[in-house]
Amino acid sequence: MDQLLNDYYRAFDCTGILITDGEGIVIQVEERFNDTYGLPPETLVGKSVFDLEKEKVFNPSIAAIVIRTKEDATVVQELQNGQKVIVTAFPILDDAGDIKKVVTFTRGIDEYIAYINRYEELNRKIDLCNRNLNDVGFIFEDDTQDIITTNKEFQQAIENIKKAAQYDVSIVIEGETGVGKSLLARKCHSMSKFSGGKFVEINCSALPESLIESELFGYEKGAFTGADKDGKPGLIEVAANGTLFLDEVSDLPLASQGKLLQVLQQKIIRRVGGTKDIEVTCRFIAATNKDLEKEVEKKNFREDLWYRINTVSCEIPPLRQRRDDIIPLSKELLSKANKKHGTNKMFSNSALRCLTNYSWPGNVRELENMVSRLVIISPNNLITQEDLPNYISEASVECGSPKKEDVDILNITDLKVALEGYEAEIIKAFYEKKGSSVNLAKALNISQSSAARKIRKYVTRDQQDDEC
């Protein structure tokens, strides 16, 4: 094996390297490729990656994607044994700009995830160091600037949080599941004088009633059967000098609500089975997807606790009520997913219109999961309407071809990718109607060879006629 391949192995910790020519014919396979794919190199040399993709040997073929796009690409590939791997490929171009070779290398997905986790852990440590440095001089930073919204109600909620963050007051955040209550609570914590302490989150609806008090207040050794022999501090103690975030606070049992009220009033707790009062100092933020005033009327929530925690309250509108936020949110989430997975994908305008027309019952959490899934499973750099699930793409009859006034010009960050995206939509739409490179060439006033080349680039292999 030549020095180039050895350099790739050391740099990327590969488990297999494959090289094709500009037409997708395999010309070289590294021996260790067999360890991952179970395919001896001699069985692949001379074959087309397009044929291997059809046979599901490569699902999908990263080399085929690069040949169509002339761009570097990274995908999650499923092997015939069900195992998944991360595959990256890049083109080697000649002086004329045509693809001369495509080099692909494979990494185990566990190793890839481990690298990502180590990278994110390093970033968290850097953020913590920066936060501690700021605490020395108490530099107040606006940590809500990366919350994307043009909705006036949400903007007002953010302003209330920014003001309340500077004071030791309890806060209630209301909104449907998935709208971002936890995110806003974390932002409040990071902007407050409690940012040097821990942010402790507990979902009150996820804990059995029998465990809530021991989790919140802790317990002494021998307090009950099965208790830790040394006892255990409660989450309120753990959050000392920090923030305790009580998500779905409306699901707290009435008895626990009474004890929480006592903590808020007296700033002391007593562990289960204990006799000693423990002083606590932490910020309380509560969140709920229910109307607490109505819960009070129904006697499901203590009125005195409601008045005590409701010093400052804000409500986050659901995503369906702030549709203007969907496109910028989708692009921001896509940007983060691209950075995380090493990809360079973008949305077509028709896909963005479909996302806007969908109701998003799961709110931002559902949108975030959808974007992450599309980055992993979409075969090309351009995410189109065809890549969306049917229940989203069929959400509106208006998800057709892009209109001139719908082009989001000011948000383009890469002209080449944007132009290729628009070209791809045009080629796909005309090819679906015209059905051949000859007819497409006449319709678009281009040569037949150019039409055939663009069809191979933008139209999936199983949609192409034999002439292409």
Side-chain angles (χ1 to χ4, degrees), residues 221-405:
K221 60 181 181 179
F224 51 85
T225 302
D228 190 288
K229 64 178 182 178
D230 297 321
K232 180 183 176 183
L235 293 175
I236 297 177
E237 282 185 69
V238 174
N241 300 314
T243 299
L244 180 67
F245 177 52
L246 296 168
D247 198 10
E248 309 304 349
V249 69
S250 56
D251 292 332
L252 271 178
L254 289 171
S256 299
Q257 291 178 26
K259 291 189 177 182
L260 178 61
L261 175 63
Q262 186 177 13
V263 174
L264 290 169
Q265 291 174 334
Q266 301 177 8
K267 299 292 184 182
I268 60 172
I269 64 168
R270 182 176 295 178
R271 293 182 179 182
V272 175
T275 58
K276 178 183 176 182
D277 290 335
I278 302 173
E279 186 175 348
V280 293
T281 303
C282 67
R283 152 76 61 73
F284 285 88
I285 301 179
T288 179
N289 60 6
K290 298 178 181 178
D291 187 330
L292 283 183
E293 290 189 83
K294 290 184 178 180
E295 293 300 301
V296 169
E297 294 175 2
K298 297 176 183 177
K299 306 299 181 182
N300 293 331
F301 199 81
R302 290 180 61 120
E303 185 176 20
D304 47 4
L305 178 58
W306 164 240
Y307 290 133
R308 186 69 188 184
I309 64 175
N310 192 33
T311 307
V312 175
S313 64
C314 65
E315 182 175 358
I316 303 178
L319 198 52
R320 64 181 174 277
Q321 292 181 11
R322 44 191 183 99
R323 292 188 182 273
D324 288 345
D325 293 345
I326 293 176
I327 289 180
L329 262 175
S330 300
K331 291 181 177 179
E332 175 65 17
L333 293 170
L334 180 62
S335 176
K336 290 180 178 179
N338 276 331
K339 289 178 182 178
K340 180 176 181 180
H341 298 293
T343 53
N344 184 32
K345 301 196 176 184
M346 65 178 291
F347 285 113
S348 70
N349 288 313
S350 60
L352 286 173
R353 279 196 302 277
C354 289
L355 296 181
T356 303
N357 290 324
Y358 181 57
S359 61
W360 298 108
N363 292 292
V364 179
R365 185 179 298 151
E366 182 184 4
L367 176 60
E368 182 176 15
N369 290 337
M370 175 58 61
V371 170
S372 296
R373 189 181 311 128
L374 290 171
V375 166
I376 292 173
I377 68 173
S378 60
N380 302 311
N381 277 348
L382 185 71
I383 300 174
T384 67
Q385 178 183 341
E386 295 174 353
D387 297 317
L388 303 177
N390 290 336
Y391 64 88
I392 292 181
S393 62
E394 296 173 358
S396 171
V397 296
E398 298 178 1
C399 298
S401 300
K403 301 176 184 177
K404 184 177 180 181
E405 60 269 23

Side-chain angles (χ1 to χ4, degrees), residues 65 68-69 345 378-383 428 457-458 460:
I65 292 173
R68 294 187 188 109
T69 65
K345 301 196 176 184
S378 60
N380 302 311
N381 277 348
L382 185 71
I383 300 174
K428 287 181 178 179
K457 181 176 180 180
Y458 297 121
T460 59

Side-chain angles (χ1 to χ4, degrees), residues 124-139:
R124 282 194 293 270
K125 290 180 178 179
I126 291 172
D127 289 340
L128 179 60
C129 289
N130 289 335
R131 199 158 55 238
N132 289 339
L133 287 173
N134 288 342
D135 288 342
V136 173
F138 196 68
I139 301 173

Side-chain angles (χ1 to χ4, degrees), residues 62-227:
I62 188 70
I65 292 173
V66 171
I67 290 171
R68 294 187 188 109
T69 65
K70 287 190 177 181
E71 299 285 346
D72 299 354
T74 298
V75 299
V76 175
Q77 193 178 79
E78 184 172 351
L79 307 183
Q80 290 183 325
N81 62 7
Q83 178 187 355
K84 292 185 178 180
V85 292
I86 299 289
V87 187
T88 298
F90 60 88
I92 298 176
L93 306 179
D94 59 21
D95 294 338
D98 295 324
I99 295 179
K100 184 178 179 181
K101 293 181 180 180
V102 176
V103 179
T104 74
F105 51 90
T106 304
R107 289 164 289 176
I109 196 166
D110 291 337
E111 291 82 0
Y112 179 77
I113 292 172
Y115 287 139
I116 293 297
N117 289 339
R118 285 199 292 270
Y119 174 77
E120 292 179 347
E121 178 63 24
L122 179 60
N123 278 337
R124 282 194 293 270
K125 290 180 178 179
I126 291 172
D127 289 340
L128 179 60
C129 289
N130 289 335
R131 199 158 55 238
N132 289 339
L133 287 173
N134 288 342
D135 288 342
V136 173
F138 196 68
I139 301 173
F140 182 83
E141 295 183 352
D142 184 354
D143 201 22
T144 62
Q145 290 181 347
D146 59 344
I147 296 180
I148 298 173
T149 185
T150 58
N151 181 270
K152 291 184 178 179
E153 291 181 14
F154 196 6
Q155 289 176 339
Q156 185 59 56
I158 294 171
E159 285 301 313
N160 292 343
I161 287 292
K162 286 164 61 176
K163 294 175 183 176
Q166 303 173 65
Y167 302 98
D168 184 9
V169 294
S170 299
I171 298 172
V172 173
I173 304 174
E174 297 178 288
E176 294 180 5
T177 298
V179 294
K181 299 188 291 293
S182 177
L183 172 64
L184 201 54
R186 290 177 182 274
K187 296 295 184 184
C188 179
H189 168 74
S190 63
M191 292 190 297
S192 73
K193 66 180 183 181
F194 297 100
S195 62
K198 293 181 178 180
F199 179 90
V200 179
E201 181 174 350
I202 180 171
N203 189 325
C204 299
S205 65
L207 284 176
E209 184 173 344
S210 59
L211 295 179
I212 286 179
E213 291 191 13
S214 61
E215 287 295 319
L216 280 177
F217 306 109
Y219 56 82
E220 297 291 348
K221 60 181 181 179
F224 51 85
T225 302

